[in-house]
Amino acid sequence: MSFELVGPAADIAKGTAIRVEIADLEIAVVHADDDNFYAVRDECSHAAVALSEGEVDGCTLECWLHGSRFDLRTGEPTGLPATEPVAIFPVEIRDGDLYVSTTPSNGVKP
């Protein structure tokens, strides 16, 4: 599994999400309230809108359009109207830099 450099982890404030494009994939990188970093496909499985524009709450990311919530650890929806999970991607921090893999770790096709 290969990882791609996103940038300095310190550039992503706790409780926020940013959108990055890696290998033609749009990915939301989140610095969650548990102080961990997560990466999910930057598209709600209910409506094709950017999750990176939503709100981070604990270890969930809420879609701004209809309020669907996704668990950042599993990609599973935790709030309707979404019923399908989103792809999640492994994240590593090396020497203060954030790296994201483009291979989903939950088996969901990106």
Side-chain angles (χ1 to χ4, degrees), residues 15-97:
T16 64
I18 65 164
R19 179 185 206 143
V20 297
E21 188 171 323
I22 303 171
D24 294 329
L25 287 175
E26 292 169 344
I27 296 174
V29 178
V30 181
H31 188 175
D33 292 336
D34 68 356
D35 214 24
N36 289 311
F37 291 87
Y38 300 94
V40 300
R41 175 82 165 110
D42 194 20
E43 184 175 273
C44 180
S45 62
H46 171 256
V49 298
L51 289 175
S52 61
E53 296 176 14
E55 293 293 320
V56 177
D57 183 18
C59 286
T60 64
L61 185 57
E62 180 179 0
C63 178
W64 62 269
L65 187 59
H66 296 117
S68 295
R69 289 181 177 270
F70 297 91
D71 188 311
L72 294 167
R73 299 163 292 194
T74 64
E76 292 294 325
T78 62
L80 294 173
T83 58
E84 296 296 319
V86 293
I88 59 171
F89 304 92
V91 175
E92 289 183 359
I93 297 178
R94 303 178 200 154
D95 298 322
D97 286 328

